[in-house]
């Protein structure tokens, strides 16, 4: 039973900023993973047709962990809050694993053993990143009123992309400082290893900052602000029943999400091979040129993050949220489709800025729409955890089908960028079916 909602108060800009600041550090970790996983496993000896399979683990762990974190945190209350204990624990585990993953080829193990070690490290890294990442979305959903929610998620998008920018450029930056970008066969270069180390330090510092600055509502206050008859820690929630009762927007936004996240899964998986081939003219993963291309992929992803930061400041100015969402995805699709036809590494900046427009919309729009639609439903953590399935499932499907799709497009990794562009355009067309409050 629902009761009359108590109006959530307006928050100052700094309060909104503090609410999401830890996301900056979490996103550095996520960016390092996104930009370097294909590079790491290719260096260890993975076949290009098998690369997408290594990407199944991250979304698989996300779909398993995030609903559980959401459900448990809905019912948790301690002196540190409801969501914050989970993000702090997730961040602490991430720090440990970030020191292990890039060393997969450095312990003298056989190739197969090194890959298994890398996979286990990747599984724990993504599990812990998911545990740290999801509470930030829940905090905004919990504490920010509908009037400020687009601004709050835009701030989160800004911090997310600023963190991505830092994470993406670290290997390139450390190479400029003289740290080796080459290593013996099967060993990850020091430029990548040091990037993970520094990212781990920044991650834990940012999360500590959020832990100190944010004071969450207790269950009674949460119930009053969300129109619930009793605090969530006194209610029993069945995930399947909640899923059946989910608003229509939950499913229609999920349809758009499917095509968007499949597109970005192919970007993360095949950009390294694409740029190495189209710009450096090599597909030899043992060559110095391949590692140089890997550094440049980090720069391109950083350019994408810059485009996202800039576009995130434009998005709140649109009066029609759905139109902003669709336009952003179409622009991103054009960016993807242009990549295979550009051989100048600097001209690729234009493509990745356009891709960044789509990324900014993907980070802000779905959660603004969903949390508004869930107003008065309660169980925000569970619902956002379940909604994460619309991010994870398309990545799992895309990764599982990646080798087949690559074969269908001539086993040319650059052609996967065109596939990604087509997916974003289809996603933009599906925005029309979303019904918003």
């Amino acid at each position: 039973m629902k009761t009359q909602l108590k109006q959530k108060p307006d928050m100052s800009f700094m309060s909104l900023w503090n609410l999401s600041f830890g996301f900056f550090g979490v996103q550095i970790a996520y960016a390092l993973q996104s930009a370097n996983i294909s590079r790491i496993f290719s260096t260890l000896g993975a076949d290009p047709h098998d690369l997408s399979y290594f990407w199944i683990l991250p979304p698989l762990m996300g779909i398993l962990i995030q609903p559980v974190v959401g459900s448990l945190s809905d019912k948790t209350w301690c002196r540190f809050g409801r969501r914050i204990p989970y993000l702090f624990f997730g961040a602490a585990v991430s720090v440990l694993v970030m020191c292990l993953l890039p060393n997969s080829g450095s312990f003298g193990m056989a190739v197969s053993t090194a890959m298994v070690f890398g996979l286990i490290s990747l599984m724990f890294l993504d599990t812990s990143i998911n545990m740290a990442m999801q509470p930030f979305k829940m905090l905004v959903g919990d504490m920010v009123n509908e009037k400020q929610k687009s601004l709050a998620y835009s701030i989160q998008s800004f911090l997310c992309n600023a963190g991505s920018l830092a994470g993406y450029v670290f290997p390139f930056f450390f190479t400029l400082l003289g740290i080796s970008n080459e290593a013996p066969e099967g060993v990850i270069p020091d430029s990548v290893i040091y990037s993970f180390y520094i990212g781990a330090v920044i991650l834990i510092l940012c999360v500590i900052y959020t832990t100190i600055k944010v004071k969450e509502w207790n269950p009674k206050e949460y119930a009053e602000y969300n129109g619930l008859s009793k605090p969530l820690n006194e209610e029993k929630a069945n995930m399947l029943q909640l899923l059946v009762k989910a608003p229509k927007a939950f499913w229609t936004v999920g349809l758009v999400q499917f095509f968007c996240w499949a597109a970005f899964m192919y970007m993360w998986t095949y950009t390294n091979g694409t740029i190495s081939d189209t710009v450096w003219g090599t597909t030899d993963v043992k060559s110095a040129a391949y590692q140089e291309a890997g550094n440049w992929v980090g720069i391109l992803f950083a350019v994408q993050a810059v485009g996202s930061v800039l576009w995130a400041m434009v998005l709140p100015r649109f009066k029609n949220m759905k139109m902003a969402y669709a336009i952003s995805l179409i622009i991103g699709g054009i960016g993807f489709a242009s990549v295979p036809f550009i051989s100048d590494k600097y001209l690729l900046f234009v493509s990745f800025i356009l891709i960044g427009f789509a990324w900014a919309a993907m980070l802000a729009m779905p959660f603004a729409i969903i949390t508004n639609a869930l107003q008065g439903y309660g169980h925000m953590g569970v619902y956002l955890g379940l909604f994460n399935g619309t991010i994870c499932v398309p990545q799992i499907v895309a990764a599982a089908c990646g080798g087949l799709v690559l074969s269908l497009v001539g086993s040319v990794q650059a052609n996967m960028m065109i596939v990604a562009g087509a997916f974003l355009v289809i996603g933009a067309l599906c925005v029309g079916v979303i019904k918003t409050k």
Side-chain angles (χ1 to χ4, degrees), residues 157-209:
S157 178
F158 175 86
L159 289 166
C160 172
N161 286 296
S164 296
L165 178 62
Y168 290 146
V169 301
F170 275 171
F172 184 85
F173 175 71
F174 286 130
T175 301
L176 288 180
L177 292 181
I179 296 174
S180 177
N181 194 47
E182 297 180 38
E185 183 178 339
V187 178
I188 312 306
D190 284 346
S191 59
V192 176
I193 294 174
Y194 279 45
S195 297
F196 275 80
Y197 290 169
I198 298 300
V201 172
I202 296 174
L203 166 60
I204 198 66
L205 290 176
C206 290
V207 169
I208 289 173
Y209 177 88

Side-chain angles (χ1 to χ4, degrees), residues 137-178:
K137 297 184 176 71
M138 297 173 188
L139 283 171
V140 174
D142 286 345
M143 301 179 68
V144 180
N145 62 37
E146 277 54 56
K147 182 175 66 175
Q148 291 186 304
K149 201 159 284 181
S150 289
L151 173 60
Y153 279 120
S154 293
I155 291 172
Q156 194 167 97
S157 178
F158 175 86
L159 289 166
C160 172
N161 286 296
S164 296
L165 178 62
Y168 290 146
V169 301
F170 275 171
F172 184 85
F173 175 71
F174 286 130
T175 301
L176 288 180
L177 292 181

Side-chain angles (χ1 to χ4, degrees), residues 122-354:
L122 177 61
M123 179 182 71
F124 278 102
L125 177 60
D126 212 79
T127 299
S128 56
I129 287 177
N130 273 291
M131 185 175 288
M133 184 181 297
Q134 191 69 1
F136 287 105
K137 297 184 176 71
M138 297 173 188
L139 283 171
V140 174
D142 286 345
M143 301 179 68
V144 180
N145 62 37
E146 277 54 56
K147 182 175 66 175
Q148 291 186 304
K149 201 159 284 181
S150 289
L151 173 60
Y153 279 120
S154 293
I155 291 172
Q156 194 167 97
S157 178
F158 175 86
L159 289 166
C160 172
N161 286 296
S164 296
L165 178 62
Y168 290 146
V169 301
F170 275 171
F172 184 85
F173 175 71
F174 286 130
T175 301
L176 288 180
L177 292 181
I179 296 174
S180 177
N181 194 47
E182 297 180 38
E185 183 178 339
V187 178
I188 312 306
D190 284 346
S191 59
V192 176
I193 294 174
Y194 279 45
S195 297
F196 275 80
Y197 290 169
I198 298 300
V201 172
I202 296 174
L203 166 60
I204 198 66
L205 290 176
C206 290
V207 169
I208 289 173
Y209 177 88
T210 292
T211 302
I212 294 171
K213 290 291 186 179
V214 175
K215 179 174 174 56
E216 296 184 71
W217 294 328
N218 61 41
K220 182 175 181 295
E221 290 172 323
Y222 180 87
E224 291 173 351
Y225 282 120
N226 288 275
L228 305 179
S229 59
K230 57 183 178 179
L232 282 177
N233 62 337
E234 298 176 11
E235 288 190 358
K236 294 183 179 180
N238 181 298
M239 288 191 192
L240 184 58
Q241 290 177 345
L242 291 176
L243 201 57
V244 170
K245 296 177 182 177
K248 188 176 181 180
F250 185 98
W251 304 105
T252 52
V253 174
L255 178 63
V256 180
Q257 292 271 83
F258 181 89
F259 294 103
C260 293
W261 285 93
F264 274 82
M265 170 57 74
Y266 287 151
M267 182 193 80
W268 295 324
T269 307
Y270 298 109
T271 298
N272 221 98
T274 296
I275 303 307
S276 178
D277 184 16
T278 59
V279 179
W280 270 263
T282 181
T283 56
D284 181 8
V285 299
K286 300 175 184 177
S287 66
Y290 182 86
Q291 297 298 341
E292 188 178 347
N295 277 1
W296 195 252
V297 167
I299 296 298
L300 292 175
F301 284 2
V303 169
Q304 173 208 316
V306 171
S308 298
V309 168
L310 296 175
W311 196 243
M313 292 186 285
V314 174
L315 285 174
R317 299 180 181 276
F318 279 89
K319 293 183 179 180
N320 187 315
M321 189 182 298
K322 287 171 57 177
M323 180 179 294
Y325 197 3
I327 289 173
S328 301
L329 297 183
I330 291 172
I331 292 173
I334 293 170
F336 270 129
S338 68
V339 170
F341 304 101
I342 300 175
S343 58
D344 184 292
K345 65 180 184 179
Y346 294 106
L347 192 56
L348 282 167
F349 287 176
V350 176
S351 299
F352 279 83
I353 285 175
L354 299 182

Side-chain angles (χ1 to χ4, degrees), residues 47-77:
D47 183 273
H49 289 82
D50 298 332
L51 273 182
S52 65
Y53 303 141
F54 293 102
W55 284 92
I56 292 177
L57 268 179
L60 181 61
M61 298 314 300
I63 201 171
L64 294 174
I65 293 299
Q66 296 206 27
V68 174
V69 171
S71 178
L72 292 176
S73 65
D74 272 346
K75 301 176 183 179
T76 296
W77 179 256

